Coordinates of all heavy atoms in Angstrom, one line a residue:
N1 N 15.9 -19.0 0.6 CA 16.3 -20.4 0.4 C 16.3 -21.2 1.7 O 17.1 -22.1 1.9 CB 17.6 -20.6 -0.3 CG 17.6 -20.0 -1.7 OD1 16.7 -20.3 -2.5 ND2 18.5 -19.2 -2.1
R2 N 15.3 -20.9 2.6 CA 15.1 -21.6 3.8 C 13.7 -21.3 4.3 O 12.9 -20.5 3.7 CB 16.1 -21.3 4.9 CG 16.2 -19.8 5.1 CD 16.7 -19.4 6.5 NE 15.6 -19.6 7.5 CZ 15.7 -19.4 8.8 NH1 16.9 -19.1 9.3 NH2 14.7 -19.6 9.6
K3 N 13.3 -21.9 5.4 CA 12.0 -21.6 6.0 C 11.9 -20.2 6.5 O 13.0 -19.6 6.8 CB 11.7 -22.6 7.1 CG 12.6 -22.5 8.3 CD 12.1 -23.5 9.4 CE 13.0 -23.4 10.7 NZ 12.6 -24.2 11.8
I4 N 10.7 -19.7 6.7 CA 10.6 -18.3 7.1 C 10.2 -18.1 8.6 O 9.9 -17.0 9.0 CB 9.6 -17.5 6.2 CG1 8.1 -18.1 6.4 CG2 10.0 -17.6 4.7 CD1 7.1 -17.2 5.7
T5 N 10.3 -19.2 9.3 CA 10.0 -19.2 10.8 C 11.4 -19.5 11.5 O 12.3 -19.9 10.8 CB 9.0 -20.2 11.2 OG1 9.4 -21.5 10.7 CG2 7.6 -19.9 10.6
G6 N 11.4 -19.4 12.8 CA 12.5 -19.8 13.6 C 13.6 -18.8 13.7 O 14.8 -19.1 13.8
A7 N 13.3 -17.5 13.8 CA 14.3 -16.5 14.1 C 15.0 -16.7 15.4 O 14.4 -17.0 16.4 CB 13.6 -15.1 14.1
L8 N 16.3 -16.5 15.3 CA 17.1 -16.8 16.5 C 17.5 -15.4 17.2 O 17.8 -14.5 16.5 CB 18.4 -17.5 16.1 CG 18.2 -19.0 15.6 CD1 19.6 -19.5 15.1 CD2 17.7 -19.9 16.7
V9 N 17.5 -15.4 18.5 CA 17.8 -14.2 19.2 C 19.3 -13.8 18.9 O 20.2 -14.6 18.9 CB 17.7 -14.5 20.8 CG1 18.3 -13.3 21.6 CG2 16.2 -14.8 21.1
G10 N 19.4 -12.5 18.6 CA 20.8 -12.0 18.3 C 21.3 -12.3 16.9 O 22.2 -11.7 16.4
V11 N 20.6 -13.3 16.2 CA 21.0 -13.7 14.9 C 20.1 -13.1 13.8 O 20.6 -12.5 12.8 CB 21.1 -15.2 14.8 CG1 21.5 -15.7 13.4 CG2 22.0 -15.8 15.8
Q12 N 18.8 -13.3 14.1 CA 17.8 -12.7 13.2 C 16.8 -11.9 14.1 O 15.7 -12.4 14.4 CB 17.0 -13.7 12.4 CG 17.9 -14.5 11.4 CD 18.0 -16.0 11.8 OE1 17.4 -16.5 12.8 NE2 18.8 -16.7 11.0
P13 N 17.2 -10.7 14.5 CA 16.3 -9.8 15.3 C 14.9 -9.8 14.7 O 14.8 -9.6 13.5 CB 17.0 -8.5 15.4 CG 18.4 -8.8 15.2 CD 18.5 -9.9 14.2
F14 N 13.9 -10.0 15.5 CA 12.6 -10.3 15.0 C 11.6 -9.1 15.2 O 11.4 -8.6 16.3 CB 12.0 -11.5 15.6 CG 10.7 -12.0 15.0 CD1 10.7 -12.7 13.8 CD2 9.5 -11.7 15.6 CE1 9.5 -13.1 13.2 CE2 8.3 -12.1 15.1 CZ 8.3 -12.8 13.9
G15 N 10.8 -8.8 14.1 CA 9.7 -7.8 14.3 C 9.4 -7.3 12.9 O 10.2 -7.1 12.0
G16 N 8.1 -6.9 12.7 CA 7.6 -6.5 11.4 C 7.1 -5.1 11.5 O 7.0 -4.4 12.5
Y17 N 6.8 -4.5 10.3 CA 6.2 -3.2 10.2 C 4.9 -3.2 9.4 O 4.3 -4.3 9.3 CB 7.2 -2.2 9.6 CG 8.0 -2.7 8.4 CD1 7.4 -2.6 7.1 CD2 9.3 -3.1 8.4 CE1 8.1 -3.0 6.0 CE2 10.0 -3.5 7.3 CZ 9.4 -3.5 6.1 OH 10.1 -3.9 5.0
N18 N 4.5 -2.1 8.9 CA 3.1 -2.0 8.4 C 2.1 -2.4 9.5 O 2.4 -2.1 10.7 CB 2.9 -2.7 7.1 CG 3.8 -2.2 6.0 OD1 4.3 -1.1 6.1 ND2 3.9 -2.9 4.9
M19 N 1.1 -3.2 9.2 CA 0.2 -3.6 10.3 C 0.7 -4.8 11.1 O 0.0 -5.4 11.8 CB -1.2 -4.0 9.6 CG -2.0 -2.8 9.3 SD -2.4 -1.8 10.7 CE -3.1 -0.3 9.9
S20 N 2.0 -5.1 10.9 CA 2.6 -6.2 11.7 C 3.3 -5.7 13.0 O 3.8 -6.5 13.7 CB 3.6 -7.0 10.9 OG 2.9 -7.8 9.9
G21 N 3.2 -4.4 13.2 CA 3.8 -3.9 14.4 C 4.7 -2.8 14.3 O 4.8 -2.2 13.2
T22 N 5.4 -2.5 15.4 CA 6.3 -1.3 15.4 C 7.8 -1.7 15.1 O 8.7 -0.8 15.3 CB 6.3 -0.7 16.9 OG1 6.6 -1.7 17.8 CG2 4.9 -0.1 17.2
D23 N 8.0 -2.9 14.6 CA 9.3 -3.3 14.2 C 10.4 -3.1 15.3 O 11.5 -2.6 15.0 CB 9.8 -2.6 12.9 CG 10.9 -3.3 12.1 OD1 10.9 -4.5 12.1 OD2 11.8 -2.6 11.5
S24 N 10.0 -3.5 16.5 CA 10.9 -3.2 17.6 C 12.1 -4.1 17.7 O 13.0 -3.9 18.4 CB 10.1 -3.3 18.9 OG 9.3 -4.5 19.0
K25 N 12.0 -5.2 16.9 CA 13.2 -6.1 16.7 C 13.6 -6.8 18.1 O 14.7 -6.5 18.6 CB 14.3 -5.4 16.1 CG 14.1 -5.2 14.6 CD 14.1 -6.6 13.8 CE 14.0 -6.4 12.3 NZ 12.6 -6.2 11.9
A26 N 12.7 -7.6 18.6 CA 13.0 -8.4 19.8 C 14.3 -9.3 19.5 O 14.4 -9.8 18.4 CB 11.9 -9.3 20.1
G27 N 15.1 -9.4 20.5 CA 16.4 -10.1 20.3 C 17.4 -9.4 19.4 O 18.3 -10.0 18.8
G28 N 17.2 -8.0 19.3 CA 18.1 -7.2 18.5 C 18.9 -6.2 19.3 O 18.6 -6.0 20.5
P29 N 19.9 -5.6 18.7 CA 20.8 -4.7 19.5 C 20.2 -3.5 20.1 O 20.8 -2.9 21.0 CB 21.9 -4.4 18.5 CG 21.3 -4.6 17.1 CD 20.3 -5.7 17.3
D30 N 19.1 -3.0 19.5 CA 18.4 -1.8 20.0 C 17.1 -2.0 20.8 O 16.4 -1.1 21.1 CB 18.2 -0.9 18.8 CG 19.5 -0.4 18.1 OD1 20.4 -0.2 18.8 OD2 19.5 -0.4 16.9
Y31 N 16.8 -3.3 21.0 CA 15.5 -3.6 21.6 C 15.4 -2.9 23.0 O 14.3 -2.4 23.4 CB 15.3 -5.1 21.7 CG 13.9 -5.5 22.2 CD1 12.8 -5.2 21.4 CD2 13.7 -6.0 23.5 CE1 11.5 -5.6 21.9 CE2 12.4 -6.4 23.9 CZ 11.3 -6.1 23.1 OH 10.1 -6.5 23.6
L32 N 16.4 -2.9 23.8 CA 16.3 -2.4 25.2 C 16.1 -0.9 25.2 O 15.5 -0.4 26.2 CB 17.6 -2.7 26.0 CG 17.9 -4.2 26.2 CD1 19.1 -4.4 27.1 CD2 16.7 -5.0 26.8
A33 N 16.4 -0.2 24.1 CA 16.2 1.2 24.0 C 14.7 1.6 24.0 O 14.4 2.7 24.3 CB 16.9 1.8 22.8
N34 N 13.9 0.6 23.7 CA 12.4 0.8 23.7 C 12.0 1.2 25.1 O 10.9 1.8 25.3 CB 11.7 -0.4 23.2 CG 11.8 -0.6 21.8 OD1 11.4 0.3 21.0 ND2 12.3 -1.7 21.3
F35 N 12.8 0.8 26.1 CA 12.3 0.9 27.5 C 13.2 2.0 28.3 O 13.2 2.0 29.5 CB 12.4 -0.4 28.2 CG 11.7 -1.5 27.4 CD1 12.4 -2.4 26.7 CD2 10.3 -1.5 27.4 CE1 11.8 -3.4 25.9 CE2 9.7 -2.5 26.6 CZ 10.4 -3.4 25.9
L36 N 13.8 2.8 27.5 CA 14.7 3.9 28.1 C 14.4 5.2 27.5 O 13.9 5.3 26.3 CB 16.2 3.5 27.8 CG 16.7 2.3 28.6 CD1 18.0 1.9 27.9 CD2 16.9 2.6 30.1
Q37 N 14.7 6.3 28.2 CA 14.7 7.6 27.6 C 16.0 8.3 27.9 O 16.8 7.9 28.7 CB 13.5 8.4 28.2 CG 13.5 8.5 29.7 CD 12.1 9.0 30.2 OE1 11.3 9.4 29.4 NE2 11.9 8.9 31.5
L38 N 16.3 9.4 27.2 CA 17.6 10.1 27.3 C 17.4 11.4 28.0 O 16.5 12.2 27.8 CB 18.2 10.3 25.9 CG 18.7 9.0 25.2 CD1 18.9 9.2 23.7 CD2 20.1 8.6 25.8
K39 N 18.4 11.7 28.8 CA 18.5 13.0 29.5 C 19.8 13.6 29.3 O 20.9 13.0 29.6 CB 18.3 12.7 31.0 CG 18.2 13.9 31.9 CD 17.9 13.6 33.3 CE 17.8 14.8 34.2 NZ 17.5 14.4 35.6
T40 N 19.8 14.8 28.7 CA 21.1 15.5 28.5 C 21.4 16.4 29.7 O 20.5 17.2 30.2 CB 20.9 16.4 27.3 OG1 20.6 15.6 26.1 CG2 22.2 17.2 27.0
V41 N 22.6 16.4 30.2 CA 23.0 17.2 31.3 C 24.3 18.0 30.9 O 25.3 17.4 30.4 CB 23.4 16.3 32.6 CG1 23.8 17.2 33.7 CG2 22.2 15.5 33.0
C42 N 24.2 19.3 31.0 CA 25.3 20.2 30.6 C 25.7 21.0 31.8 O 24.9 21.6 32.5 CB 24.8 21.1 29.5 SG 25.9 22.4 29.1

């Protein structure tokens, strides 16, 4: 019940799937994890 454009950062994290992309969700809570890797130290 509104327009389908105009996603707001942090409000409507943006990104698609299928042939629209990797659904990385720019402006979303996990976006920065795309640029990090994890290292376990015991």
